[in-house]
Amino acid sequence: MASRLDPVELSLFASRVDSVCGEMGVQLARSAFSPNIRDRLDFSCALFDARGELCAQAAHIPVHLGSMAHAMRGIVAGIRWSPGDMVMLNDPFLGGTHLPDVTVVAPLFVEDRLVAFVANRAHHADIGGESPGSMPLSRSLHEEGILIPPGHVVRGGVVNRERLAEVTEATRNARDAQGDFAGQIGANRRGLQRLAALVESMGEEAWRTAVDQLNDYGARLAWDALGAIPGGRFEFEDFMDDDGLGHEDIPIRVAVERRDDHVHVDFTGTAAQVAGNINCPLSVTAAGVLYAMRCLMPARTPACAGTFRPVRMTVPEGCLLNALRPAAVAAGNVETSTRVVDVVLGALADALPGRIPAASHGSMNNVAMGAAGAHPWGYYETLGGGMGAGRHGGGLSAVQTHMTNTRNTPIEVLESRYPIHVREYSVRRGSGGAGLRSGGDGLVRSYEFLAPARFTLLTERRRRAPWGLHGGASGAPGINCLNNVILPPKVSMDVRPGDVLTLETPGGGGCGAAS
């Protein structure tokens, strides 16, 4: 039996597995074709043990990572694995998030024994679907793009070109899609190389012992933090603006309780799933809950399965946060996930006053656009906004918050690749909520179309403002405009050359009454 690691050795082991994920991410960013992956870094990389339990992850996209951590065990259990295989999938109801997020999983074998898995998940700017950017105002999953059930894209080290072509030819830019998938496959190969070297240097038994020890350590750190939540039932309610199909003020309700050995998060009372695409598969809801709980833990808490052992959920089947197939889910991953964080943090603000910030801008402010015809193109990006203020500091301005931390696409890249001119990109001054500590300001991004196109907006916090705390004011709601005419939070429209689309994103809530 392998000996246990001492604290220094365990810390080094945690850093080494984290570095494998980080190197996978660098490889993917440098080899991908599309701005969405290469420039915005809309991807995530992680390691899992032979059972599909999370071992490590890079500091990438929380909604990707939390959903993979929740669902990977079920994914890997349903596949017959062999050395040199890779499986890809994007099915939201089999551990995915929404269809543009495609996951590629690869097993590590040592002498024909399954030891671990590497995986990456990347957002493809187009995966087919009814509108460019593959984020339509959908009523069903089938309208959102090509569905990829778990299946081999590489078998025995040989890429299945036919299967890959089935996916890439369904997109509006097959060349970019081919390059992005090649980047994902290459990132996994790099991860396998680095992980194999680590396991070889330690030995298999020592590897398994180290993983178990890391999980136990993560569980102890997690409970040290979560056990500080006082006894009682802490409730909170917030609302989605709409589902894009006429249903407004859709409630999400939560109750958080610390019990003897875990924290229970109960979403009973949340609205039933809706016709529009703001529904969440359970994996996305889990990602929001795990992220909120992780925010209470020390910075160096390892990102492993053990860290999330003290967190349990009740999410009624068929509700907005545990939707049933074939519910539309394109915006659940990007918009509803942020409201899951808001309600959990809102409940914790009563439990742990002074530790929880006011609401951040509460939307990924999704913009998808493109065109068909002789020169088809599709583009997608998310925009930052204002961060909520806390008791000890004001919110940052014009940043991504909570469930995403992608970069922006540089204007030079956007204008060189697509028929778009960026008229304005600035901080939306004065949009943060006032208070003893002011919320961060949102941003303004204005696009002039140089050719006919179609755009889709999936945005939130346009009707209901991000809330302040302890007497702080709410942040300003966002505003969407086409040629200075205000648009709904979720809309899809055709545009002509010269039309100007402008998004003013919400500010963060303030904290404390202004003196």
Side-chain angles (χ1 to χ4, degrees), residues 247-388:
H247 303 94
E248 298 181 343
D249 298 328
I250 301 162
I252 297 178
R253 298 188 179 102
V254 73
V256 177
E257 292 182 89
R258 179 185 57 75
R259 298 183 177 174
D260 290 343
D261 61 352
H262 69 277
V263 172
H264 188 244
V265 182
D266 185 354
F267 290 98
T268 299
T270 291
Q273 66 187 68
V274 294
N277 63 11
I278 63 171
N279 303 291
C280 283
L282 185 59
S283 58
V284 169
T285 301
V289 171
L290 297 178
Y291 165 82
M293 295 300 168
R294 178 64 181 82
C295 289
L296 300 177
M297 301 175 196
R300 293 297 297 172
T301 304
C304 61
T307 297
F308 303 122
R309 286 177 189 163
V311 182
R312 300 178 194 172
M313 300 189 307
T314 295
V315 192
E317 193 173 72
C319 81
L320 185 74
L321 304 183
N322 188 6
L324 302 176
R325 189 189 297 274
V329 297
N333 176 64
V334 289
E335 295 303 283
T336 314
S337 67
T338 64
R339 199 66 70 254
V340 169
V341 174
D342 285 345
V343 297
V344 174
L345 292 182
L348 291 172
D350 287 337
L352 300 168
R355 292 194 59 189
I356 305 300
S360 293
H361 58 104
S363 175
M364 295 191 197
N365 304 294
N366 304 269
V367 185
M369 58 183 73
H375 302 286
W377 61 279
Y379 174 68
Y380 166 78
E381 70 178 1
T382 60
L383 304 180
M387 179 185 289

Side-chain angles (χ1 to χ4, degrees), residues 420-497:
I420 298 168
H421 170 58
V422 178
R423 294 269 296 264
E424 180 179 358
Y425 190 32
S426 63
V427 175
R428 186 188 176 198
R429 302 293 181 189
S431 56
L436 182 64
R437 304 288 186 181
S438 297
D441 290 328
L443 60 78
V444 179
R445 190 145 161 116
S446 185
Y447 313 83
E448 179 182 358
F449 292 91
L450 306 181
R454 185 170 186 83
F455 72 83
T456 302
L457 302 182
L458 297 175
T459 64
E460 275 287 322
R461 295 296 194 197
R462 268 54 182 175
R463 300 181 66 250
R464 288 178 171 267
W467 38 265
L469 272 182
H470 309 305
S474 298
I479 302 172
N480 306 330
C481 290
L482 179 65
N483 300 327
N484 296 317
V485 176
I486 294 178
L487 301 174
K490 299 169 185 68
V491 65
S492 188
M493 297 180 68
D494 292 315
V495 288
R496 298 172 297 178

